[in-house]
Amino acid sequence: MILDRFGAAKVDALDLDAAMVAKARRHLADRPGRVRLEVGDATDLKAAFGAEDGTYDAAFDFAIIHHIPDWRSAVAEIARILKPGGVFVFDEVSAHALARPTYRRLFDHPEHDRFTAREFLAELPRHDLAVTGAFTRISGDYRLGTARKRAANRG
């Protein structure tokens, strides 16, 4: 989707699950040199990709951060790797959704430190990510939006 819909020239993507990375490699085999897939942790993109500060134009979160026990570190890592003016696109599941009996029966999610849609949005500015648009859907279950990395102060 990032290649096709957003027009990215190259994409780095990761997952903790090696089976999911292998599946993605098979699915994207027709895109040689455009996608780098690694098994890795979203709280340490330097280990996964050698990602230096301010080197990415965009970062995408397709309902992954709520799976990360230290989700604030993942947000901080996204902010760290974005260039000033870089865009963070997110689609997140809130604590409200995760508390539903169907979610608890069907899916495995961390129980500790879940966030509401409001708490997720409040965390972004703490990492120099200015929310440029966001909306909630399905009774507060999901928060979709974008944020832009603020330029460094030149004091």
Side-chain angles (χ1 to χ4, degrees):
M1 177 195 293
I2 296 168
L3 294 169
D4 297 337
R5 302 282 177 153
F6 292 91
K10 291 186 177 183
V11 171
D12 288 344
L14 77 157
D15 197 298
L16 283 172
D17 186 339
M20 292 303 290
V21 171
K23 183 177 181 178
R25 281 193 177 114
R26 287 190 302 274
H27 181 72
L28 295 166
D30 63 336
R31 317 253 179 146
R34 294 192 65 200
V35 181
R36 182 168 50 160
L37 297 160
E38 298 293 336
V39 175
D41 186 334
T43 64
D44 188 0
L45 299 172
K46 188 166 190 125
F49 300 113
E52 297 296 333
D53 295 0
T55 56
Y56 284 76
D57 295 313
F60 293 78
D61 164 25
F62 296 114
I64 293 301
I65 291 179
H66 72 275
H67 286 278
I68 301 170
D70 186 6
W71 65 272
R72 289 174 186 85
S73 290
V75 171
E77 186 68 348
I78 288 165
R80 182 189 71 76
I81 58 109
L82 282 175
K83 294 176 182 177
V87 176
F88 174 40
V89 178
F90 55 88
D91 178 1
E92 262 312 321
V93 181
S94 72
H96 182 262
L98 299 176
R100 291 182 187 277
T102 51
Y103 266 82
R104 293 197 326 259
R105 277 194 304 273
L106 296 173
F107 306 110
D108 185 25
H109 292 94
E111 296 287 329
H112 176 72
D113 198 22
R114 292 179 172 169
F115 51 79
T116 65
R118 183 173 289 159
E119 289 167 336
F120 182 77
L121 289 181
E123 187 66 21
L124 300 180
R126 293 183 183 112
H127 303 282
D128 292 328
L129 294 168
V131 177
T132 54
F135 66 94
T136 304
R137 63 180 190 188
I138 309 177
S139 303
D141 285 2
Y142 304 96
R143 177 65 81 167
L144 292 86
T146 57
R148 189 169 296 278
K149 175 74 182 269
R150 291 187 187 111
N153 290 334
R154 301 192 189 256

